[in-house]
mmCIF file with all atom_site columns, all heavy atoms in Angstrom:
data_model
loop_
_atom_site.group_PDB
_atom_site.id
_atom_site.type_symbol
_atom_site.label_atom_id
_atom_site.label_alt_id
_atom_site.label_comp_id
_atom_site.label_asym_id
_atom_site.label_entity_id
_atom_site.label_seq_id
_atom_site.pdbx_PDB_ins_code
_atom_site.Cartn_x
_atom_site.Cartn_y
_atom_site.Cartn_z
_atom_site.occupancy
_atom_site.B_iso_or_equiv
_atom_site.pdbx_formal_charge
_atom_site.auth_seq_id
_atom_site.auth_comp_id
_atom_site.auth_asym_id
_atom_site.auth_atom_id
_atom_site.pdbx_PDB_model_num
ATOM 1  N N   . ALA A 1 553 ? 113.858 72.924 147.379 1.00 0.00 ? 686 ALA A N   1
ATOM 2  C CA  . ALA A 1 553 ? 113.250 74.075 146.572 1.00 0.00 ? 686 ALA A CA  1
ATOM 3  C C   . ALA A 1 553 ? 113.707 73.798 144.990 1.00 0.00 ? 686 ALA A C   1
ATOM 4  O O   . ALA A 1 553 ? 112.937 74.206 144.091 1.00 0.00 ? 686 ALA A O   1
ATOM 5  C CB  . ALA A 1 553 ? 113.727 75.492 147.048 1.00 0.00 ? 686 ALA A CB  1
ATOM 6  N N   . ASP A 1 554 ? 114.885 73.298 144.864 1.00 0.00 ? 687 ASP A N   1
ATOM 7  C CA  . ASP A 1 554 ? 115.393 72.954 143.501 1.00 0.00 ? 687 ASP A CA  1
ATOM 8  C C   . ASP A 1 554 ? 114.445 71.962 142.774 1.00 0.00 ? 687 ASP A C   1
ATOM 9  O O   . ASP A 1 554 ? 114.176 72.063 141.554 1.00 0.00 ? 687 ASP A O   1
ATOM 10 C CB  . ASP A 1 554 ? 116.803 72.449 143.547 1.00 0.00 ? 687 ASP A CB  1
ATOM 11 C CG  . ASP A 1 554 ? 117.730 73.495 143.660 1.00 0.00 ? 687 ASP A CG  1
ATOM 12 O OD1 . ASP A 1 554 ? 117.431 74.714 143.494 1.00 0.00 ? 687 ASP A OD1 1
ATOM 13 O OD2 . ASP A 1 554 ? 118.945 73.257 144.000 1.00 0.00 ? 687 ASP A OD2 1
ATOM 14 N N   . VAL A 1 555 ? 113.969 71.064 143.516 1.00 0.00 ? 688 VAL A N   1
ATOM 15 C CA  . VAL A 1 555 ? 113.110 69.999 142.896 1.00 0.00 ? 688 VAL A CA  1
ATOM 16 C C   . VAL A 1 555 ? 111.703 70.708 142.640 1.00 0.00 ? 688 VAL A C   1
ATOM 17 O O   . VAL A 1 555 ? 111.190 70.524 141.623 1.00 0.00 ? 688 VAL A O   1
ATOM 18 C CB  . VAL A 1 555 ? 112.829 68.951 144.024 1.00 0.00 ? 688 VAL A CB  1
ATOM 19 C CG1 . VAL A 1 555 ? 111.757 67.899 143.447 1.00 0.00 ? 688 VAL A CG1 1
ATOM 20 C CG2 . VAL A 1 555 ? 114.030 68.199 144.333 1.00 0.00 ? 688 VAL A CG2 1
ATOM 21 N N   . VAL A 1 556 ? 111.127 71.524 143.579 1.00 0.00 ? 689 VAL A N   1
ATOM 22 C CA  . VAL A 1 556 ? 109.820 72.107 143.365 1.00 0.00 ? 689 VAL A CA  1
ATOM 23 C C   . VAL A 1 556 ? 109.791 73.127 142.274 1.00 0.00 ? 689 VAL A C   1
ATOM 24 O O   . VAL A 1 556 ? 108.848 73.179 141.477 1.00 0.00 ? 689 VAL A O   1
ATOM 25 C CB  . VAL A 1 556 ? 109.438 72.844 144.797 1.00 0.00 ? 689 VAL A CB  1
ATOM 26 C CG1 . VAL A 1 556 ? 108.078 73.711 144.473 1.00 0.00 ? 689 VAL A CG1 1
ATOM 27 C CG2 . VAL A 1 556 ? 109.248 71.892 145.832 1.00 0.00 ? 689 VAL A CG2 1
ATOM 28 N N   . ASN A 1 557 ? 110.888 73.756 142.047 1.00 0.00 ? 690 ASN A N   1
ATOM 29 C CA  . ASN A 1 557 ? 111.014 74.796 141.049 1.00 0.00 ? 690 ASN A CA  1
ATOM 30 C C   . ASN A 1 557 ? 111.535 74.259 139.636 1.00 0.00 ? 690 ASN A C   1
ATOM 31 O O   . ASN A 1 557 ? 111.705 75.142 138.713 1.00 0.00 ? 690 ASN A O   1
ATOM 32 C CB  . ASN A 1 557 ? 111.955 75.967 141.475 1.00 0.00 ? 690 ASN A CB  1
ATOM 33 C CG  . ASN A 1 557 ? 111.488 76.686 142.657 1.00 0.00 ? 690 ASN A CG  1
ATOM 34 O OD1 . ASN A 1 557 ? 110.136 76.849 142.731 1.00 0.00 ? 690 ASN A OD1 1
ATOM 35 N ND2 . ASN A 1 557 ? 112.293 77.053 143.571 1.00 0.00 ? 690 ASN A ND2 1
ATOM 36 N N   . ASP A 1 558 ? 111.771 73.023 139.478 1.00 0.00 ? 691 ASP A N   1
ATOM 37 C CA  . ASP A 1 558 ? 112.210 72.397 138.249 1.00 0.00 ? 691 ASP A CA  1
ATOM 38 C C   . ASP A 1 558 ? 110.981 72.243 137.303 1.00 0.00 ? 691 ASP A C   1
ATOM 39 O O   . ASP A 1 558 ? 110.145 71.205 137.524 1.00 0.00 ? 691 ASP A O   1
ATOM 40 C CB  . ASP A 1 558 ? 112.915 71.170 138.602 1.00 0.00 ? 691 ASP A CB  1
ATOM 41 C CG  . ASP A 1 558 ? 113.515 70.552 137.187 1.00 0.00 ? 691 ASP A CG  1
ATOM 42 O OD1 . ASP A 1 558 ? 113.151 70.951 136.136 1.00 0.00 ? 691 ASP A OD1 1
ATOM 43 O OD2 . ASP A 1 558 ? 114.417 69.568 137.281 1.00 0.00 ? 691 ASP A OD2 1
ATOM 44 N N   . GLU A 1 559 ? 110.796 73.143 136.348 1.00 0.00 ? 692 GLU A N   1
ATOM 45 C CA  . GLU A 1 559 ? 109.586 73.102 135.585 1.00 0.00 ? 692 GLU A CA  1
ATOM 46 C C   . GLU A 1 559 ? 109.589 71.890 134.596 1.00 0.00 ? 692 GLU A C   1
ATOM 47 O O   . GLU A 1 559 ? 108.455 71.273 134.313 1.00 0.00 ? 692 GLU A O   1
ATOM 48 C CB  . GLU A 1 559 ? 109.353 74.290 134.737 1.00 0.00 ? 692 GLU A CB  1
ATOM 49 C CG  . GLU A 1 559 ? 109.013 75.597 135.683 1.00 0.00 ? 692 GLU A CG  1
ATOM 50 C CD  . GLU A 1 559 ? 107.647 75.418 136.474 1.00 0.00 ? 692 GLU A CD  1
ATOM 51 O OE1 . GLU A 1 559 ? 106.657 74.798 135.810 1.00 0.00 ? 692 GLU A OE1 1
ATOM 52 O OE2 . GLU A 1 559 ? 107.568 75.895 137.548 1.00 0.00 ? 692 GLU A OE2 1
ATOM 53 N N   . GLU A 1 560 ? 110.723 71.518 134.115 1.00 0.00 ? 693 GLU A N   1
ATOM 54 C CA  . GLU A 1 560 ? 110.810 70.332 133.234 1.00 0.00 ? 693 GLU A CA  1
ATOM 55 C C   . GLU A 1 560 ? 110.497 69.045 134.004 1.00 0.00 ? 693 GLU A C   1
ATOM 56 O O   . GLU A 1 560 ? 109.606 68.223 133.472 1.00 0.00 ? 693 GLU A O   1
ATOM 57 C CB  . GLU A 1 560 ? 112.174 70.262 132.534 1.00 0.00 ? 693 GLU A CB  1
ATOM 58 C CG  . GLU A 1 560 ? 112.578 71.315 131.568 1.00 0.00 ? 693 GLU A CG  1
ATOM 59 C CD  . GLU A 1 560 ? 113.898 71.176 130.925 1.00 0.00 ? 693 GLU A CD  1
ATOM 60 O OE1 . GLU A 1 560 ? 114.554 70.058 130.925 1.00 0.00 ? 693 GLU A OE1 1
ATOM 61 O OE2 . GLU A 1 560 ? 114.394 72.075 130.350 1.00 0.00 ? 693 GLU A OE2 1
ATOM 62 N N   . LEU A 1 561 ? 110.937 68.963 135.167 1.00 0.00 ? 694 LEU A N   1
ATOM 63 C CA  . LEU A 1 561 ? 110.667 67.753 135.922 1.00 0.00 ? 694 LEU A CA  1
ATOM 64 C C   . LEU A 1 561 ? 109.202 67.793 136.354 1.00 0.00 ? 694 LEU A C   1
ATOM 65 O O   . LEU A 1 561 ? 108.528 66.735 136.358 1.00 0.00 ? 694 LEU A O   1
ATOM 66 C CB  . LEU A 1 561 ? 111.522 67.831 137.255 1.00 0.00 ? 694 LEU A CB  1
ATOM 67 C CG  . LEU A 1 561 ? 111.135 66.784 138.284 1.00 0.00 ? 694 LEU A CG  1
ATOM 68 C CD1 . LEU A 1 561 ? 111.489 65.428 137.808 1.00 0.00 ? 694 LEU A CD1 1
ATOM 69 C CD2 . LEU A 1 561 ? 111.836 67.009 139.583 1.00 0.00 ? 694 LEU A CD2 1
ATOM 70 N N   . LYS A 1 562 ? 108.676 68.880 136.654 1.00 0.00 ? 695 LYS A N   1
ATOM 71 C CA  . LYS A 1 562 ? 107.339 69.037 137.163 1.00 0.00 ? 695 LYS A CA  1
ATOM 72 C C   . LYS A 1 562 ? 106.319 68.591 136.046 1.00 0.00 ? 695 LYS A C   1
ATOM 73 O O   . LYS A 1 562 ? 105.384 67.786 136.239 1.00 0.00 ? 695 LYS A O   1
ATOM 74 C CB  . LYS A 1 562 ? 106.933 70.427 137.468 1.00 0.00 ? 695 LYS A CB  1
ATOM 75 C CG  . LYS A 1 562 ? 105.594 70.674 138.143 1.00 0.00 ? 695 LYS A CG  1
ATOM 76 C CD  . LYS A 1 562 ? 105.207 72.158 138.309 1.00 0.00 ? 695 LYS A CD  1
ATOM 77 C CE  . LYS A 1 562 ? 106.331 72.712 139.360 1.00 0.00 ? 695 LYS A CE  1
ATOM 78 N NZ  . LYS A 1 562 ? 105.903 74.084 139.688 1.00 0.00 ? 695 LYS A NZ  1
ATOM 79 N N   . MET A 1 563 ? 106.669 68.893 134.784 1.00 0.00 ? 696 MET A N   1
ATOM 80 C CA  . MET A 1 563 ? 105.750 68.481 133.665 1.00 0.00 ? 696 MET A CA  1
ATOM 81 C C   . MET A 1 563 ? 105.968 66.993 133.333 1.00 0.00 ? 696 MET A C   1
ATOM 82 O O   . MET A 1 563 ? 104.975 66.292 132.990 1.00 0.00 ? 696 MET A O   1
ATOM 83 C CB  . MET A 1 563 ? 105.933 69.390 132.503 1.00 0.00 ? 696 MET A CB  1
ATOM 84 C CG  . MET A 1 563 ? 105.488 70.854 132.664 1.00 0.00 ? 696 MET A CG  1
ATOM 85 S SD  . MET A 1 563 ? 103.757 70.856 133.004 1.00 0.00 ? 696 MET A SD  1
ATOM 86 C CE  . MET A 1 563 ? 102.942 69.992 131.623 1.00 0.00 ? 696 MET A CE  1
ATOM 87 N N   . PHE A 1 564 ? 107.181 66.475 133.405 1.00 0.00 ? 697 PHE A N   1
ATOM 88 C CA  . PHE A 1 564 ? 107.423 65.063 133.176 1.00 0.00 ? 697 PHE A CA  1
ATOM 89 C C   . PHE A 1 564 ? 106.600 64.138 134.122 1.00 0.00 ? 697 PHE A C   1
ATOM 90 O O   . PHE A 1 564 ? 105.904 63.299 133.724 1.00 0.00 ? 697 PHE A O   1
ATOM 91 C CB  . PHE A 1 564 ? 108.954 64.785 133.367 1.00 0.00 ? 697 PHE A CB  1
ATOM 92 C CG  . PHE A 1 564 ? 109.278 63.385 133.466 1.00 0.00 ? 697 PHE A CG  1
ATOM 93 C CD1 . PHE A 1 564 ? 108.835 62.430 132.583 1.00 0.00 ? 697 PHE A CD1 1
ATOM 94 C CD2 . PHE A 1 564 ? 110.164 62.947 134.611 1.00 0.00 ? 697 PHE A CD2 1
ATOM 95 C CE1 . PHE A 1 564 ? 109.133 61.088 132.724 1.00 0.00 ? 697 PHE A CE1 1
ATOM 96 C CE2 . PHE A 1 564 ? 110.393 61.597 134.602 1.00 0.00 ? 697 PHE A CE2 1
ATOM 97 C CZ  . PHE A 1 564 ? 109.969 60.657 133.780 1.00 0.00 ? 697 PHE A CZ  1
#
Side-chain angles (χ1 to χ4, degrees):
D687 280 341
V688 176
V689 174
N690 295 324
D691 183 345
E692 292 298 323
E693 291 183 16
L694 172 67
K695 184 182 300 184
M696 290 305 299
F697 164 52

